[in-house]
Amino acid sequence: MHHAALLPWLDPETIIAAAGPWALLVVCFIIFAETGLLIGFLLPGDTLLIIAGLLSHPSDVAPHGVFGINVWFVALLIGIAAFVGGEVGYLIGHKAGPAIFERKESGIFSRANVERTNAFFERFGAATVILARFVPVVRTFAPIAAGVGHMNKWRYTLYNLIGAVLWGIGLTMLGYAVGLIPPVRDFVTSYIDVILLAAVAGTIGFIAVHYFRERSKAKKEALTGDDRTDAAEAQHLTLDKDVFDQPHPRDGGTPTV
């Protein structure tokens, strides 16, 4: 039996009916933005994918899950969003060039985030495009860095596809699998609307906390007078092409960081 008094001011079926048509669209946009837009690092991609898998479980108030379609289609659409986001991020970096790094420190942009991403490329080479999917912040800036450095487009696209499948589809299905564990399944079945509301509130809260934390860092940079990346610094942030071609450490290469 579904809970009746936990949310007396909201009918669970109304919540699901109203949110269902939009929930998956919002999830896909967030996943796209994580690698397609510079603001993406503010978003909680990993957690959202797990929750998307949980929300795909059927229940009394959502016979086909919150999204109204089979979990495999949910995972596929999320994987496509992740792939397209990665392609857009690369294209933005490729077209804009080093100039994209010429900007003031803010809650949206941080030179330290670019440097952290570059360190991953210098250590893992092109494999970073795949590995970055599982690393917050790096997954947002990796496509940009690859585009600015003119990584081979077809190689990038292949690695981007692999990363999108492993991360986007993989974590969504992992979330669904977790929901098959009896205690978890019973909880999800009974409180799927609460999980949906918690996901929305948690996402908003995560974005707010992360944004204000980055703003605080930017203000500290401003006090030291080092809050703007000029053309020379932006050029320095551009990776050399040979970084994308170096062998992975496990293949005999030597990491540079």
Side-chain angles (χ1 to χ4, degrees), residues 155-230:
R155 189 179 189 188
Y156 171 83
T157 295
L158 174 61
Y159 281 36
N160 179 38
L161 177 62
I162 294 172
V165 170
L166 293 178
W167 181 66
I169 296 179
L171 286 191
T172 302
M173 295 308 300
L174 175 62
Y176 187 83
V178 168
L180 294 175
I181 300 173
V184 179
R185 181 189 61 217
D186 294 341
F187 180 83
V188 171
T189 299
S190 298
Y191 300 107
I192 197 164
D193 54 316
V194 177
I195 295 173
L196 175 60
L197 290 175
V200 173
T203 298
I204 295 173
F206 181 94
I207 294 172
V209 169
H210 203 164
Y211 174 75
F212 285 114
R213 187 172 61 192
E214 291 294 327
R215 284 286 295 172
S216 177
K217 291 180 183 178
K219 288 179 180 178
K220 291 179 181 179
E221 292 281 346
L223 291 175
T224 64
D226 188 29
D227 61 334
R228 182 175 291 279
T229 302
D230 59 26

Side-chain angles (χ1 to χ4, degrees), residues 46-127:
D46 297 321
T47 304
L48 200 59
L49 292 178
I50 298 293
I51 292 176
L54 286 173
L55 290 176
S56 297
H57 277 276
S59 69
D60 292 340
V61 294
H64 303 289
V66 166
F67 306 119
I69 57 176
N70 184 277
V71 65
W72 284 106
F73 289 108
V74 172
L76 177 62
L77 290 173
I78 288 175
I80 291 173
F83 173 76
V84 173
E87 293 297 297
V88 170
Y90 177 93
L91 183 62
I92 290 174
H94 185 78
K95 294 295 184 182
I100 197 170
F101 298 140
E102 292 181 45
R103 51 182 66 212
K104 189 174 182 178
E105 296 283 312
S106 67
I108 302 298
F109 176 81
S110 170
R111 183 170 59 246
N113 290 338
V114 180
E115 292 171 341
R116 181 185 177 192
T117 301
N118 287 351
F120 267 80
F121 272 110
E122 289 166 359
R123 183 176 185 184
F124 299 108

